[in-house]
């Protein structure tokens, strides 16, 4: 079978030649002695028109095909210079691989994204989702390519863990205990010694802490895997299960971290613009009109940089526009992040040096004793896409901070060891993969860039 993408990319090579394609029927129109079917095989979303006529041995059966049917078509590729599409297939043979029932939910009209979310098993058969998930796959490849070309080691960090990297307590517990009959200690607390791992465990919120251990051996590493957060926020940017890319670099500081983040994002954008031009044009025409201009600007300009303190000063002047007022010490909300990047800087922004109270325990304390060497990268349309920091590499300071926050030393012994045996300056960040896909496609809901989204109250399929 020839991929339909190949037909469109190399039409000259196929003109007037006999080819065979397999795909699913998108639409069908019948006349008395002939008919047209549009076939899509998922490799390309331009409609491929197939003309068939009475010469087919199974003409009547083909006429009765419903949208959604799987077919294998053999015929000649004929250029159609007057038509909208550059060519059509004149069918000699249409094999019906699998018929489709008449109640196939995807008919030729435009369906809303909301409706398509209710049929997540069928939505990849629409143009938009075909483009989204092909580009998602390409972005993943580009990210690996970026890091591999730079000799970073891909580390597979565990999904089940006993720690809470971000300290936000937003974890899904992992247990084999029977919820109806949980073993208890004498004081009434849960007796985890009877549980599978003999202690409380959860799905990981981040691979960072494990990643750091490998950075202290391989210098430069990255993770790329699923992470889980039981955040009760029902927004267009939060999923309970999402993928994260977490590089960690040794003998490096916050500045090196930002340079890495900026070059990675630019690399990935360039890769996708170059390798998926049709999909990107499609998004630019049907999903987000300014997308291509915006992305081209991003790759050709430096990201803006401000400290948290400067950002707060800029935002405070616009407090009348915000639901949640800004002042030094508050965590920036999405509305503030978007205002900074969309209205003030009009490009991606790195915000650095946040108050230590609103950031995680592992971040390096700055000399002012009040802020930490943190960085968030904010982009238009989304807000935070990357969160990172230089890590606290001083044993005593890290221990003091952990005690301050009530973290149990025994759970983080391995992490303290890194500061005891050859501690080195190091930094890293986490890129939210779905937010990255949203940014590059212009899609505005995280539910529409992950094949089977898990959000509050929703775990279908
Ligand atoms: O800012 P976060 O929480 O940082 C960390 O997890 C660090 N351990 C990363 C590191 O330094 N290695 O998360 C990183 C990114 C966010 O910027 C955001 O893009 C994404 O992960 N993210 C989510 N994406 C979708 N749904 C959610 N619920 C997300 N929470 C975070
Ligand atoms: Mg963050």
């Amino acid at each position: 079978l020839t991929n339909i993408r190949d037909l469109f990319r190399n039409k000259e090579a196929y003109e007037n030649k006999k080819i065979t394609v397999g795909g699913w029927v998108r639409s069908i129109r019948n006349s008395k002695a002939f008919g047209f079917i549009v076939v899509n095989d998922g490799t390309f979303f331009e409609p491929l028109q197939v003309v068939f006529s009475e010469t087919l041995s199974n003409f009547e059966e083909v006429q009765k095909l419903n949208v959604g049917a799987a077919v294998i078509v053999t015929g000649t590729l004929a250029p159609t210079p007057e038509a909208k599409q550059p060519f059509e297939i004149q069918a000699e043979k249409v094999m019906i691989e699998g018929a489709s029932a008449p109640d196939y939910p995807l008919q030729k009209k435009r369906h809303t994204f909301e409706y398509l979310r209710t049929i997540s098993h069928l939505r990849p058969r629409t143009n938009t989702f075909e483009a989204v998930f092909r580009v998602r796959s390409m972005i993943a490849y580009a990210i690996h390519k970026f890091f591999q070309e730079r000799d970073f080691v891909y580390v597979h960090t565990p999904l089940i863990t006993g720690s809470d990297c971000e300290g936000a307590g937003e974890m899904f517990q992992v247990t084999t205990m029977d919820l109806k009959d949980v073993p208890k200690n004498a004081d009434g607390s849960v007796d985890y010694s009877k549980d599978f791992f003999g202690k409380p465990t959860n799905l990981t919120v981040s691979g960072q802490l494990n990643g750091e251990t490998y950075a202290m051996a391989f210098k430069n590493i990255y993770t790329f895997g699923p992470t889980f957060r039981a955040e009760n926020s029902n927004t267009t940017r939060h999923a309970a299960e999402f993928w994260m890319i977490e590089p960690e670099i040794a003998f490096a500081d916050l500045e090196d971290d930002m340079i890495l983040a900026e070059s990675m994002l630019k690399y990935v954008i360039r890769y996708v613009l170059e390798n998926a031009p049709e999909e990107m044009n499609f998004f630019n025409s049907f999903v987000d009109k300014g997308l291509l201009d915006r992305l081209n600007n991003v790759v050709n300009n430096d990201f803006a940089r401000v400290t948290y303190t400067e950002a707060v000063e800029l935002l405070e002047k616009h407090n009348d526009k915000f639901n949640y007022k800004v002042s030094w010490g508050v965590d920036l909300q999405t509305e503030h992040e978007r205002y900074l990047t969309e209205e003030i800087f009009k490009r991606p922004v790195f915000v650095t040096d946040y108050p230590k109270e609103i950031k995680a325990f592992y971040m390096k304390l700055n000399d002012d004793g009040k802020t930490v060497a943190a960085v968030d990268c904010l982009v238009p349309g989304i807000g935070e896409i990357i969160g990172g920091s230089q890590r606290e590499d001083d044993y005593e300071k890290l221990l003091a901070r952990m005690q301050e926050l009530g973290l149990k030393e025994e759970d983080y012994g391995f992490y303290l060891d890194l500061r005891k045996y050859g501690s080195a300056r190091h930094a890293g960040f986490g890129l939210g993969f779905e937010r990255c896909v949203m940014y590059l496609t212009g899609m505005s809901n995280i539910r529409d860039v992950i094949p089977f989204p898990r959000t509050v109250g929703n775990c279908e399929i």
Side-chain angles (χ1 to χ4, degrees):
L1 298 183
T2 305
N3 284 339
I4 292 178
R5 174 177 293 264
D6 211 33
L7 296 184
F8 278 87
R9 285 269 171 94
N10 305 304
K11 5 182 205 306
E12 291 74 23
Y14 290 103
E15 265 177 26
N16 304 313
K17 300 246 164 66
K18 200 152 128 183
I19 50 111
T20 301
V21 296
W24 293 267
V25 174
R26 282 287 178 88
S27 65
I28 176 156
R29 273 186 300 136
N30 285 310
S31 299
K32 218 162 164 210
F34 62 96
F36 299 98
I37 44 186
V38 169
V39 178
N40 177 284
D41 71 352
T43 63
F44 202 63
F45 53 79
E46 288 289 325
L48 174 67
Q49 179 155 280
V50 174
V51 205
F52 63 94
S53 69
E54 286 173 315
T55 56
L56 291 186
S57 59
N58 58 349
F59 179 63
E60 270 145 45
E61 264 182 277
V62 173
Q63 276 195 311
K64 284 193 216 111
L65 280 176
N66 288 316
V67 179
V71 293
I72 296 177
V73 178
T74 301
T76 308
L77 188 134
T80 50
E82 299 88 52
K84 209 169 77 193
Q85 65 275 12
F87 50 78
E88 62 187 21
I89 308 286
Q90 289 164 351
E92 281 166 30
K93 212 160 102 187
V94 176
M95 259 172 55
I96 301 170
E97 177 92 2
S100 176
D103 62 351
Y104 184 62
L106 296 172
Q107 295 302 327
K108 221 195 146 194
K109 61 168 192 153
R110 260 191 117 84
H111 296 289
T112 63
F113 290 163
E114 286 78 10
Y115 170 67
L116 292 171
R117 268 173 230 147
T118 68
I119 47 168
S120 54
H121 58 307
L122 295 173
R123 67 177 180 170
R125 298 194 199 178
T126 65
N127 285 351
T128 307
F129 289 95
E130 184 181 326
V132 167
F133 291 115
R134 181 167 295 280
V135 168
R136 180 181 166 114
S137 156
M138 284 185 173
I139 298 172
Y141 176 69
I143 289 169
H144 280 296
K145 195 161 143 54
F146 173 84
F147 286 115
Q148 296 284 338
E149 281 170 1
R150 286 158 185 75
D151 292 326
F152 282 57
V153 170
Y154 177 27
V155 179
H156 300 109
T157 49
L159 299 191
I160 301 176
T161 164
S163 58
D164 176 10
C165 176
E166 295 308 300
E170 292 162 334
M171 297 172 302
F172 289 100
Q173 265 191 277
V174 174
T175 178
T176 51
M177 291 190 297
D178 181 353
L179 289 181
K180 291 193 289 297
D181 185 22
V182 176
K184 296 274 173 68
N185 294 312
D187 65 357
S189 60
V190 176
D191 180 5
Y192 283 101
S193 69
K194 304 266 174 356
D195 203 357
F196 190 94
F197 296 107
K199 66 173 201 172
T201 52
N202 52 274
L203 293 178
T204 189
V205 298
S206 157
Q208 178 195 323
L209 303 185
N210 299 78
E212 278 184 55
T213 69
Y214 272 60
M216 289 295 117
F218 288 99
K219 194 157 71 88
N220 295 333
I221 64 101
Y222 70 105
T223 73
F224 191 159
T227 47
F228 307 86
R229 295 196 188 176
E231 271 170 301
N232 210 349
S233 25
N234 213 338
T235 78
T236 55
R237 290 169 192 81
H238 289 88
E241 178 180 300
F242 62 99
W243 287 60
M244 193 160 32
I245 294 94
E246 297 186 272
E248 194 70 34
I249 48 179
F251 308 102
D253 60 14
L254 196 68
E255 173 69 24
D256 301 310
D257 207 27
M258 288 190 277
I259 292 170
L260 181 69
E262 184 167 338
S263 43
M264 176 197 65
L265 282 176
K266 287 178 173 173
Y267 180 98
V268 173
I269 294 171
R270 277 198 199 98
Y271 182 87
V272 171
L273 289 174
E274 220 167 90
N275 290 278
E278 296 90 356
E279 281 83 355
M280 296 307 284
N281 279 324
F282 172 87
F283 295 131
N284 195 55
S285 309
F286 298 108
V287 174
D288 176 353
K289 297 262 188 277
L291 181 70
L292 289 183
D293 279 345
R294 212 166 56 234
L295 293 178
N296 280 312
N297 273 331
V298 172
V299 290
N300 292 317
N301 290 289
D302 290 340
F303 290 12
R305 291 185 182 199
V306 281
T307 63
Y308 167 89
T309 303
E310 289 161 352
V312 166
E313 279 164 14
L314 289 168
L315 289 167
E316 273 177 327
K317 298 192 190 115
H318 303 278
N319 258 337
D320 55 311
K321 299 187 184 89
F322 303 133
N323 290 322
Y324 190 92
K325 308 298 168 208
V326 181
S327 60
W328 204 94
V330 306
D331 203 0
L332 299 182
Q333 307 295 309
T334 302
E335 56 173 335
H336 311 130
E337 294 175 343
R338 290 190 58 175
Y339 196 86
L340 268 179
T341 179
E342 288 166 26
E343 305 295 332
I344 300 182
F345 291 102
K346 302 189 195 307
R347 59 193 158 124
V349 190
F350 284 123
V351 181
T352 59
D353 306 297
Y354 285 75
K356 68 170 183 181
E357 284 76 18
I358 57 173
K359 289 290 180 187
F361 76 96
Y362 52 72
M363 296 189 183
K364 188 170 180 64
L365 191 64
N366 286 327
D367 292 340
D368 62 13
K370 289 192 305 194
T371 61
V372 286
V375 60
D376 276 6
C377 180
L378 317 178
V379 296
I382 295 177
E384 181 188 340
I385 189 171
I386 284 175
S389 65
Q390 185 171 344
R391 319 307 188 188
E392 184 56 78
D393 48 60
D394 182 274
Y395 186 95
E396 297 301 332
K397 284 188 190 156
L398 181 63
L399 185 62
R401 185 65 182 145
M402 286 170 55
Q403 285 166 344
E404 228 176 332
L405 294 170
L407 297 182
K408 287 203 213 89
E409 244 179 272
E410 64 264 29
D411 289 343
Y412 298 89
F414 74 96
Y415 196 66
L416 283 163
D417 269 1
L418 301 180
R419 281 71 183 165
K420 198 168 142 192
Y421 307 122
S423 191
R425 259 175 316 128
H426 63 292
F429 64 80
L431 167 69
F433 185 53
E434 283 69 25
R435 293 191 189 177
C436 179
V437 177
M438 290 169 73
Y439 186 46
L440 268 64
T441 58
M443 296 294 285
S444 53
N445 195 316
I446 196 163
R447 292 165 183 80
D448 298 330
V449 298
I450 184 160
F452 303 102
R454 275 85 178 91
T455 51
V456 186
N458 175 35
C459 182
E460 276 157 36
I461 306 196

